[in-house]
Amino acid sequence: DAGVIQSPRHEVTEMGQEVTLRCKPISGHNSLFWYRQTMMRGLELLIYFNNNVPIDDSGMPEDRFSAKMPNASFSTLKIQPSEPRDSAVYFCASRLGENNEQFFGPGTRLTVL
Amino acid sequence: AQSVTQLGSHVSVSEGALVLLRCNYSSSVPPYLFWYVQYPNQGLQLLLKYTSAATLVKGINGFEAEFKKSETSFHLTKPSAHMSDAAEYFCAVSDQGTYKYIFGTGTRLKVLA
């Protein structure tokens, strides 16, 4: 299995630009998570999807952040407009069923200048 | 509310020495517990998990952890450190039947030659 796939691996953009991060979960997994990792705040859960439906988006920091999961094999996290404080590593993770471990992708390192 | 405390943000050990990384949790019900490892510029990889079966859990790369309910602890150990063990280690807790992980702040392990 290819594991969780994220693209791009690195993104550098200027303040005010739109940024779209992509994730392909492991085939057959029915839960998908987006996390943000920073030195100051550690790992934060942004949003959780179950069977393609957003269940908990309480971690999404602002309206500038939005996430979609149009089908079981693809999800996006969009930031519009981006700000320097959004600079972080964004991870996608997927899981099969409850009580099982989450499998993490390699992350997207976002730098907003 | 659940919480996870990892004592020591940085731990240094000599190659061949015992590795001990500490994790304490608070949960009102028997939790599921996980240890993940993160190598530089990579995603999180599951080392081991406790899901209310055996209290001593063996994981990959020679690591193991023991669930001690009386101490609310789930410390990670390895008898003999190897240079390749240098990474950041995260403890996480999840209540049974829930989706949300609570991650600790991480412990960065340095292995000295």
Side-chain angles (χ1 to χ4, degrees):
Chain A
D1 198 321
V4 176
I5 298 173
Q6 291 187 247
S7 65
R9 293 294 311 275
H10 301 272
E11 176 80 31
V12 180
T13 190
E14 293 188 346
M15 183 174 62
Q17 296 298 306
E18 176 181 303
V19 174
T20 299
L21 311 181
R22 297 172 176 79
C23 175
K24 177 178 169 56
I26 292 173
S27 177
H29 283 193
N30 61 342
S31 296
L32 185 138
F33 306 79
W34 281 100
Y35 289 89
R36 179 172 66 177
Q37 185 180 41
T38 61
M39 289 291 292
M40 293 298 295
R41 300 173 70 91
L43 270 163
E44 302 173 276
L45 176 65
L46 299 178
I47 187 167
Y48 159 61
F49 290 89
N50 190 50
N51 294 323
N52 312 337
V53 176
I55 303 299
D56 181 359
D57 65 355
S58 59
M60 297 285 264
E62 300 172 33
D63 291 345
R64 298 185 296 107
F65 285 69
S66 62
K68 294 182 179 179
M69 193 164 185
N71 57 62
S73 60
F74 184 66
S75 177
T76 59
L77 178 67
K78 183 181 292 186
I79 308 172
Q80 180 184 25
S82 58
E83 297 183 2
R85 60 192 168 122
D86 301 331
S87 298
V89 181
Y90 291 81
F91 288 104
C92 176
S94 70
R95 184 184 71 179
L96 173 62
E98 291 184 351
N99 304 325
N100 289 325
E101 64 268 27
Q102 298 178 20
F103 290 83
F104 283 76
T108 295
R109 182 173 296 276
L110 173 65
T111 302
V112 183
L113 304 174
Chain B
Q2 285 179 335
S3 66
V4 175
T5 302
Q6 289 186 242
L7 290 175
S9 58
H10 292 81
V11 170
S12 293
V13 300
S14 299
E15 191 174 20
L18 171 72
V19 176
L20 170 60
L21 305 182
R22 300 178 187 273
C23 173
N24 288 87
Y25 68 91
S26 68
S27 177
S28 57
V29 297
Y32 285 6
L33 293 156
F34 307 84
W35 274 100
Y36 281 84
V37 60
Q38 185 178 28
Y39 298 103
N41 301 314
Q42 295 186 27
L44 279 70
Q45 178 184 1
L46 182 71
L47 274 178
L48 49 82
K49 63 179 181 179
Y50 167 76
T51 56
S52 70
T55 56
L56 182 62
V57 182
K58 295 188 183 297
I60 62 172
N61 302 339
F63 284 93
E64 63 182 34
E66 186 172 7
F67 172 69
K68 291 187 176 180
K69 184 177 179 180
S70 60
E71 299 177 7
T72 60
S73 68
F74 191 57
H75 301 332
L76 182 71
T77 61
K78 182 174 180 177
S80 177
H82 192 273
M83 297 297 287
S84 61
D85 294 327
E88 189 154 20
Y89 293 80
F90 292 91
C91 181
V93 63
S94 172
D95 280 342
Q96 295 184 33
T98 69
Y99 60 87
K100 188 172 285 190
Y101 280 19
I102 305 299
F103 281 93
T105 52
T107 298
R108 189 170 297 276
L109 176 66
K110 185 174 182 179
V111 182
L112 307 172

